[in-house]
Amino acid sequence: MKKVLIGLLGVSLDMGTRENRWERWRPTVSLFQHDDLLIDRFELLSQARFRKLASTVSEDIEQVSPETKLNEHLVEFKDPWDFEEVYAALYDFARDYDFRDDEEYYIHITTGTHVAQICLFLLTESNHFPAKLIQASPSKKNRDSIGTYNIIDLDLSRYEVLANRFQDEIVESQALLKAGIATKDESFNKLIERIEKVSLRSAAALLLTGPTGAGKSQLAKKVYELRKQKHQLTGSFVEVNCATLRGDAAMSTLFGHKKGAFTGAITDRAGLLKEAEGGLLFLDEIGELGLDEQAMLLRALEDKSFMPMGSDSLVTSHFQLICGTNRSLQKSIKEGLFREDLLARINIWNFELPGLKDRAADIEPNIDHELKKFANDSGRVLRFNVESKNQYLKFATSADATWQGNFRDLNASIHRMATLADTARIGSETVQEEIDLLKNQWHASGRDKDMDVLSSVLDDAELSLIDPFDKPQLANVVLVCRDSRSMAEAGRKLYAVSRQTKKVANDSDRLKKYLAKFSLSWEKVVANS
Amino acid sequence: MSNKVYIDGSMGEGGGQVLRSSLALSLITGKSLEMKNIRAGRKKPGLLRQHLTCIKAAKEICEATTSGDSLRSMELTLAPDKVKAGDYHFSVGSAGSAILVLQTILPPLILAEGKSTIVLEGGTHNPMAPPFHFLEKCFIPLLNKMGAKVSMNLESWGFYPAGGGRFTVEIEPTTKLRPLEVLDRGELLAKELNVISANIPAEIIQKEVEILKDKLNWDKINEVSKVNSPGPGNIIMTELKFKNSTELISEIGSKGTRAQIVANKLIRKVNKFLTQEAPVGEYLADQLLLPFALAEAGSFWCTTISSHTHTNIEVIKKFLDVHIETKEYKKGALVTIN
């Protein structure tokens, strides 16, 4: 590839028209005197008033570098210390220059005023000059007039030492996002890696989805802390659960109001969007937001401005938005409960946080984290026995542990055990008691769930005729049916054991008869899903 | 011998000399050259600008096809075609030595069909290369005794780091170099010392001359100031003219080196050569090897054989089916080709 150098004539450093100039280090000429650097073309930028010096420098370059083709360009600025003027002149040159893919460009930053050097740097950094920087320096012992040169590639990923530093920084950032918990679940760690990258490179809206208690709110707060630490945000973290916003209060909480806007509006209120100015706004359970508020929010996001209630002037606010939801917004759109255009706005980056059950490997580090938190809050440092810890972990990672409330359940569970422990150790007895409690709790909520399922296929009168004994079984059968593509498939799953001893596999028939006992059919079960 | 020659560029001292000799021999023999490890182990390994100019020159006089001829490359292949006599013009950048370019293309052009005129630009009196006058006074006369007709004419002097020197070389070829024996200096006919400078304050040169006059009680100590050169430069050259051969010993003055030191260095070398008896000095021995090998016979007595010369012998043997013998001989060495 041809090497092309672009540089300003150094009206003081390149000075000299008498023979003794060769004894001095002249940065521009020196770049053509190195035996390991061959520049095929030189674009010399100078001004008309320095024509004489420019021609001496050109002749000298021709002499020491007959291989180089030389082009002179007039780039005029009256005041070389005027940033605007110098930048504009160099910008114009860069814009008009025909940069080609098969040439390598070098911007010489040794010559020119500091202002010119800054402009060259900025234009290179922003890729207006698709080039590397080259810096000439005089010989240390001042023995020869050639000195040395350094090539600086602004693509920092090319520097190993820097890459290592960046790697350390990334690890630190990720640790922050994970709240210092050494999570082991691979897919979760990958998710954090991605969030780290996105949060530091973009201020676009993030949508965090996942079951309740999966840690959406905590993660939003950590994203804020990370960006604040890197000086990317100056404002504060503002958080609200949209399920708590109802009626007039919803509008005023989000967008503020003027005094007297409605009954009870005694003073002006800024609203959360304004409070989040320069910071981060986390709207949890965004799916619960009313349609009017959705419309206002959309406008505020598009225009970066909105109208507080009772006000006739627009208020502006720039903030980063993170939304959280545990329900499918697509479904809400179909039901007419959520605006499609708003989803498009807030869904630029979608991250799905898995529930605790899907992160079995992370349960242990989270237990340790919860114990530490308890110690900080209560001043009591507690540990498990080896035995009791295994006991708890065994249960926690078993199929029996559904962790319906995710981290909220884990947090409460550890809190209970820690509080009940009589010594500094949480013993087997406490653990067993806790396991029973959790089982009960999840079973109870399971019972509620069964009722939800059953009431989707049977009315109250029909339900009242079914024994409690049959209810969980029937609810499970309904769920399996809905999860299967055909009655045969559902039958295979439901009679997985007994069908093996049968000569004729009549799973569909058995299932059909079972459903009929409750006046149900395959079609009815599947239709009401 | 096969038609392709592999050269390990790191052999011996692994310098540019291996490259230049290989290029010259490839062109003369018509054998393809494949080089690896070019200048391996040097501070800046691989091909530098001056080497690229040598390759370019070699390529041009025989329309060779090459690969790897790029800056800092450590591998090179060259497939030569027939060497064409003619008018050529080569310029060396970074004030590199134009003499070294000549060294690459002179032997092939001596054996080409037809007369050549070469214009060379760049450094003529460089620190790490034989100066123009060494070739003119010592090497060319012996070469011409072997049947070539070469003359050199300096138009302007090129010193490091400004370069800008220029000279022409006229070559009338021969089909075969004649063997030669250089075994006796003969009597010392003249000794002459020239202090050359360009664009350097007179008082500095005056001091140099005074020191030399003081230490060497010679009749002919000339100060030739203000030679034609675009940049500053200073060289002291001593010509020792014997009946059968000439030795030129020089020392370059550079900024920051005291005149006293430059003068002392030169005087030590001159006195050493005068106390010895061999007609061929260390550097001339190096130059003579190739033409002697091409003549396929001859011998010379030299003051010493450097590792440079040993490497050169290795390279020559890769291309030519010659026997080169070196043996110690009266406080020096005898080199015989047969």
Side-chain angles (χ1 to χ4, degrees):
Chain A
M1 277 228 262
K2 277 196 172 163
K3 283 189 164 72
V4 180
L5 180 76
I6 299 170
L8 289 162
L9 179 70
V11 295
S12 57
L13 287 178
D14 288 333
M15 201 55 203
T17 47
R18 300 218 321 259
E19 279 76 16
N20 64 8
R21 69 185 180 274
W22 289 101
E23 288 170 15
R24 280 185 33 239
W25 171 72
R26 291 178 296 159
T28 299
V29 178
S30 81
L31 285 179
F32 297 87
Q33 293 179 285
H34 296 284
D35 55 5
D36 61 346
L37 176 68
L38 177 53
I39 294 159
D40 297 285
R41 197 168 75 240
F42 178 38
E43 312 288 1
L44 174 63
L45 316 187
S46 68
Q47 297 164 330
R49 61 198 148 124
F50 301 111
R51 192 164 284 145
K52 192 176 171 221
L53 178 61
S55 80
T56 304
V57 166
S58 298
E59 280 162 25
D60 288 351
I61 290 170
E62 273 165 18
Q63 185 174 308
V64 292
S65 193
E67 303 97 324
T68 307
K69 184 180 183 312
L70 225 136
N71 296 322
E72 285 183 45
H73 303 266
L74 288 179
V75 172
E76 298 290 345
F77 29 80
K78 275 189 217 103
D79 179 1
W81 292 95
D82 183 306
F83 179 81
E84 197 180 356
E85 195 189 352
V86 175
Y87 189 94
L90 292 171
Y91 175 88
D92 288 346
F93 175 82
R95 189 198 51 203
D96 297 339
Y97 192 85
D98 180 22
F99 291 101
R100 297 157 48 121
D101 289 341
D102 57 351
E103 294 183 336
E104 262 176 19
Y105 298 93
Y106 296 85
I107 298 293
H108 187 203
I109 52 159
T110 320
T111 47
T113 58
H114 289 158
V115 166
Q117 290 167 12
I118 290 167
C119 293
L120 287 171
F121 167 82
L122 290 173
L123 286 162
T124 308
E125 216 257 343
S126 60
N127 233 14
H128 285 92
F129 284 119
K132 290 174 189 162
L133 300 177
I134 191 165
Q135 161 100 50
S137 22
S139 136
K140 278 195 192 96
K141 292 176 206 142
N142 203 17
R143 285 216 118 172
D144 72 65
S145 57
I146 296 177
T148 55
Y149 69 92
N150 283 298
I151 289 170
I152 305 155
D153 190 339
L154 292 175
D155 178 356
L156 298 181
S157 63
R158 293 180 182 229
Y159 299 88
E160 208 173 311
V161 176
L162 296 184
N164 289 341
R165 300 249 160 92
F166 293 150
Q167 194 49 46
D168 290 349
E169 206 176 304
I170 289 168
V171 170
E172 268 170 41
S173 301
Q174 288 177 3
L176 190 153
L177 289 177
K178 295 193 274 192
I181 305 170
T183 55
K184 292 175 186 156
D185 184 81
E186 213 170 290
S187 58
F188 180 74
N189 286 343
K190 276 220 174 94
L191 179 80
I192 291 292
E193 253 172 54
R194 173 59 68 90
I195 294 176
E196 189 261 352
K197 207 180 264 183
V198 169
S199 342
L200 289 179
R201 292 182 189 175
S202 147
L206 309 185
L207 178 63
L208 305 179
T209 53
T212 170
K216 295 187 290 284
S217 165
Q218 148 130 316
L219 185 59
K221 175 111 208 230
K222 291 296 170 189
V223 168
Y224 166 76
E225 283 173 16
L226 179 64
R227 299 202 65 208
K228 176 106 182 177
Q229 198 188 68
K230 307 280 181 203
H231 311 288
Q232 294 182 348
L233 292 174
T234 51
S236 37
F237 179 71
V238 177
E239 177 182 17
V240 68
N241 187 325
C242 297
T244 65
L245 302 174
R246 290 280 179 251
D248 271 355
M251 279 290 193
S252 119
T253 305
L254 287 173
F255 307 103
H257 62 238
K258 292 295 279 182
K259 182 177 166 184
F262 52 88
T263 322
I266 309 160
T267 52
D268 284 359
R269 182 179 183 179
L272 297 180
L273 267 68
K274 186 68 191 167
E275 264 180 52
E277 167 101 69
L280 192 149
L281 177 65
F282 177 55
L283 297 178
D284 202 3
E285 298 196 36
I286 184 82
E288 303 295 325
L289 199 64
L291 281 167
D292 292 345
E293 288 79 14
Q294 288 178 32
M296 274 283 268
L297 179 63
L298 179 65
R299 197 178 151 204
L301 294 178
E302 279 174 347
D303 304 346
K304 309 256 180 265
S305 61
F306 51 89
M307 201 89 83
M309 290 176 74
S311 166
D312 46 15
S313 57
L314 283 170
V315 169
T316 62
S317 180
H318 292 256
F319 53 85
Q320 191 189 358
L321 180 68
I322 299 185
C323 299
T325 182
N326 57 9
R327 61 149 109 160
S328 159
L329 294 177
Q330 289 297 347
K331 203 171 152 209
S332 302
I333 288 170
K334 272 186 211 142
E335 290 162 2
L337 297 174
F338 203 80
R339 293 180 66 115
E340 195 168 6
D341 46 8
L342 179 60
L343 179 63
R345 271 270 153 197
I346 63 172
N347 190 22
I348 295 166
W349 295 100
N350 184 354
F351 296 105
E352 190 177 352
L353 271 65
L356 188 52
K357 198 172 167 36
D358 297 323
R359 288 173 56 192
D362 286 346
I363 290 179
E364 190 175 1
N366 272 289
I367 291 172
D368 297 340
H369 175 71
E370 291 296 342
L371 282 174
K372 235 181 264 166
K373 229 166 69 181
F374 183 84
N376 282 341
D377 295 346
S378 70
R380 289 180 64 207
V381 179
L382 285 147
R383 284 191 186 84
F384 281 95
N385 294 326
V386 178
E387 221 172 287
S388 59
K389 185 160 191 184
N390 285 338
Q391 186 187 355
Y392 188 76
L393 273 176
K394 196 177 161 201
F395 165 75
T397 54
S398 72
D400 286 343
T402 53
W403 293 115
Q404 286 154 17
N406 293 298
F407 289 93
R408 246 169 244 156
D409 282 355
L410 184 69
N411 169 276
S413 170
I414 301 295
H415 188 90
R416 280 192 296 267
M417 287 190 287
T419 309
L420 292 174
D422 292 323
T423 62
R425 299 268 170 189
I426 300 171
S428 283
E429 220 168 288
T430 315
V431 168
Q432 192 51 54
E433 222 173 289
E434 176 61 25
I435 291 173
D436 293 341
L437 189 145
L438 285 171
K439 273 186 183 164
N440 247 321
Q441 180 189 323
W442 292 331
H443 187 65
S445 73
R447 267 203 306 271
D448 295 345
K449 272 219 175 108
D450 290 347
M451 286 307 286
D452 288 348
V453 172
L454 293 179
S455 54
S456 70
V457 287
L458 300 163
D459 61 29
D460 286 354
E462 288 168 319
L463 267 174
S464 67
L465 297 173
I466 300 176
D467 278 331
F469 176 85
D470 287 324
K471 278 178 185 163
Q473 191 183 42
L474 181 58
N476 185 40
V477 169
V478 170
L479 288 177
V480 170
C481 287
R482 286 176 181 171
D483 222 25
S484 307
R485 275 163 300 183
S486 65
M487 188 145 72
E489 189 189 331
R492 272 200 300 281
K493 287 184 196 160
L494 289 163
Y495 301 110
V497 181
S498 56
R499 70 193 297 270
Q500 289 171 15
T501 59
K502 299 224 169 201
K503 279 181 200 142
V504 186
N506 51 351
D507 314 316
S508 307
D509 194 46
R510 289 169 78 187
L511 177 56
K512 196 172 166 185
K513 281 180 182 153
Y514 174 81
L515 290 173
K517 275 207 302 194
F518 305 98
S519 319
L520 286 171
S521 64
W522 165 260
E523 289 73 23
K524 193 172 177 193
V525 166
V526 178
N528 285 301
S529 65
Chain B
M1 283 189 149
S2 105
N3 271 329
K4 197 175 231 178
V5 177
Y6 297 90
I7 298 286
D8 183 345
S10 66
M11 70 162 72
E13 294 183 333
Q17 180 63 43
V18 176
L19 173 77
R20 289 186 292 272
S21 297
S22 300
L23 289 171
L25 283 159
S26 168
L27 265 58
I28 291 165
T29 59
K31 290 174 183 174
S32 294
L33 168 67
E34 204 170 311
M35 259 187 108
K36 291 221 162 78
N37 300 322
I38 298 172
R39 300 185 71 253
R42 293 293 168 115
K43 203 172 146 203
K44 296 172 186 167
L47 298 170
L48 299 178
R49 281 168 72 182
Q50 48 157 320
H51 307 119
L52 287 181
T53 314
C54 291
I55 297 167
K56 193 183 152 214
K59 205 172 158 175
E60 206 174 312
I61 64 166
C62 76
E63 287 173 23
T65 48
T66 54
S67 71
D69 47 340
S70 56
L71 210 57
R72 305 305 294 271
S73 162
M74 291 181 71
E75 291 181 12
L76 174 77
T77 66
L78 179 136
D81 204 335
K82 199 179 168 205
V83 177
K84 287 182 189 64
D87 294 347
Y88 295 104
H89 185 161
F90 302 110
S91 304
V92 197
S94 64
S97 166
I99 300 296
L100 296 179
V101 179
L102 177 64
Q103 219 179 56
T104 311
I105 55 171
L106 181 61
L109 288 174
I110 284 174
L111 297 171
E113 286 172 18
K115 202 176 163 235
S116 297
T117 306
I118 319 167
V119 177
L120 286 143
E121 287 179 312
T124 57
H125 295 78
N126 285 52
M128 302 296 286
F132 173 89
H133 291 87
F134 178 83
L135 261 71
E136 190 196 25
K137 308 275 185 190
C138 311
F139 177 60
I140 299 297
L142 292 179
L143 194 61
N144 287 348
K145 275 190 193 173
M146 298 174 78
K149 270 190 198 162
V150 179
S151 63
M152 297 171 74
N153 178 34
L154 185 67
E155 288 169 21
S156 74
W157 301 56
F159 295 103
Y160 181 88
R166 184 184 159 103
F167 61 96
T168 53
V169 183
E170 303 272 348
I171 303 165
E172 276 187 47
T174 172
T175 46
K176 178 85 183 143
L177 287 168
R178 287 193 299 268
L180 188 69
E181 297 206 321
V182 189
L183 299 171
D184 178 22
R185 291 179 178 187
E187 60 181 300
L188 180 64
L189 301 179
K191 43 186 189 181
E192 192 175 322
L193 190 146
N194 291 309
V195 178
I196 312 288
S197 72
N199 309 309
I200 291 200
E203 58 271 23
I204 294 178
I205 301 305
Q206 203 44 55
K207 196 176 167 199
E208 208 169 66
V209 173
E210 272 164 31
I211 293 166
L212 288 162
K213 278 188 174 159
D214 192 40
K215 300 211 170 185
L216 288 174
N217 211 2
W218 291 9
D219 303 334
K220 269 192 150 180
I221 293 185
N222 310 316
E223 185 198 331
V224 189
S225 276
K226 291 173 190 157
V227 293
N228 177 24
S229 175
N234 167 222
I235 185 169
I236 321 167
M237 299 193 295
T238 318
E239 192 185 335
L240 304 172
K241 205 169 163 52
F242 297 92
K243 187 164 175 273
N244 300 326
S245 65
T246 299
E247 177 68 352
L248 189 123
I249 297 168
S250 61
E251 197 61 45
I252 285 179
S254 61
K255 199 190 160 199
T257 312
R258 292 201 347 256
Q260 182 87 39
I261 292 169
V262 178
N264 282 345
K265 268 190 182 172
L266 179 91
I267 289 163
R268 212 173 303 131
K269 286 196 279 187
V270 170
N271 285 338
K272 191 177 173 199
F273 192 80
L274 286 173
T275 58
Q276 286 169 313
E277 287 175 51
V280 174
E282 180 185 340
Y283 299 109
L284 186 57
D286 219 20
Q287 305 279 332
L288 288 180
L289 268 176
L290 184 53
F292 270 58
L294 291 171
E296 292 175 313
S299 60
F300 59 83
W301 175 23
C302 56
T303 55
T304 178
I305 290 192
S306 66
S307 58
H308 236 100
T309 310
H310 279 298
T311 312
N312 219 348
I313 291 173
E314 290 303 304
V315 176
I316 290 170
K317 282 179 170 173
K318 294 253 182 191
F319 286 90
L320 300 174
D321 193 10
V322 287
H323 185 242
I324 303 173
E325 191 190 58
T326 59
K327 65 174 184 193
E328 279 188 35
Y329 180 74
K330 289 199 282 184
K331 284 188 197 163
L334 189 66
V335 179
T336 313
I337 286 102
N338 53 48

